[in-house]
Short mmCIF file of all heavy atoms in Angstrom, two decimals:
data_model
loop_
_atom_site.label_atom_id
_atom_site.label_comp_id
_atom_site.label_asym_id
_atom_site.label_seq_id
_atom_site.Cartn_x
_atom_site.Cartn_y
_atom_site.Cartn_z
N PRO A 35 -9.12 -19.35 -2.40
CA PRO A 35 -9.32 -18.52 -1.20
C PRO A 35 -10.32 -19.11 -0.19
O PRO A 35 -10.09 -19.05 1.02
CB PRO A 35 -9.81 -17.18 -1.74
CG PRO A 35 -10.04 -17.36 -3.19
CD PRO A 35 -9.37 -18.61 -3.65
N ALA A 52 2.23 -15.55 2.61
CA ALA A 52 2.34 -15.40 1.15
C ALA A 52 3.83 -15.43 0.82
O ALA A 52 4.42 -16.50 0.76
CB ALA A 52 1.65 -14.10 0.71
N SER A 60 9.14 -10.51 11.40
CA SER A 60 8.63 -9.92 12.64
C SER A 60 7.15 -10.14 12.87
O SER A 60 6.63 -9.83 13.93
CB SER A 60 8.92 -8.41 12.64
OG SER A 60 8.37 -7.85 11.47
N ILE A 125 13.76 -9.56 -2.15
CA ILE A 125 12.50 -9.27 -1.43
C ILE A 125 11.38 -9.08 -2.46
O ILE A 125 10.28 -9.62 -2.30
CB ILE A 125 12.65 -8.01 -0.53
CG1 ILE A 125 13.62 -8.27 0.63
CG2 ILE A 125 11.29 -7.54 -0.01
CD1 ILE A 125 13.11 -9.16 1.73
N GLY A 136 -1.85 -6.60 4.01
CA GLY A 136 -2.28 -7.38 5.17
C GLY A 136 -1.39 -7.16 6.38
O GLY A 136 -1.86 -7.20 7.52
N SER A 142 4.56 0.79 4.61
CA SER A 142 4.21 0.15 3.33
C SER A 142 4.41 1.13 2.17
O SER A 142 3.92 2.26 2.21
CB SER A 142 2.74 -0.29 3.37
OG SER A 142 2.26 -0.47 2.06
N ILE A 167 -9.76 1.58 0.09
CA ILE A 167 -8.50 1.53 0.85
C ILE A 167 -8.42 2.65 1.88
O ILE A 167 -7.84 2.48 2.94
CB ILE A 167 -7.26 1.53 -0.08
CG1 ILE A 167 -6.01 1.31 0.78
CG2 ILE A 167 -7.14 2.77 -0.91
CD1 ILE A 167 -4.80 0.88 0.06
N ASN A 252 -8.28 19.47 0.41
CA ASN A 252 -9.35 20.47 0.30
C ASN A 252 -8.80 21.86 0.01
O ASN A 252 -9.41 22.65 -0.70
CB ASN A 252 -10.19 20.51 1.59
CG ASN A 252 -11.12 19.31 1.63
OD1 ASN A 252 -11.51 18.78 0.58
ND2 ASN A 252 -11.46 18.85 2.82
#
Side-chain angles (χ1 to χ4, degrees):
S60 55
I125 293 287
S142 160
I167 186 163
N252 284 333

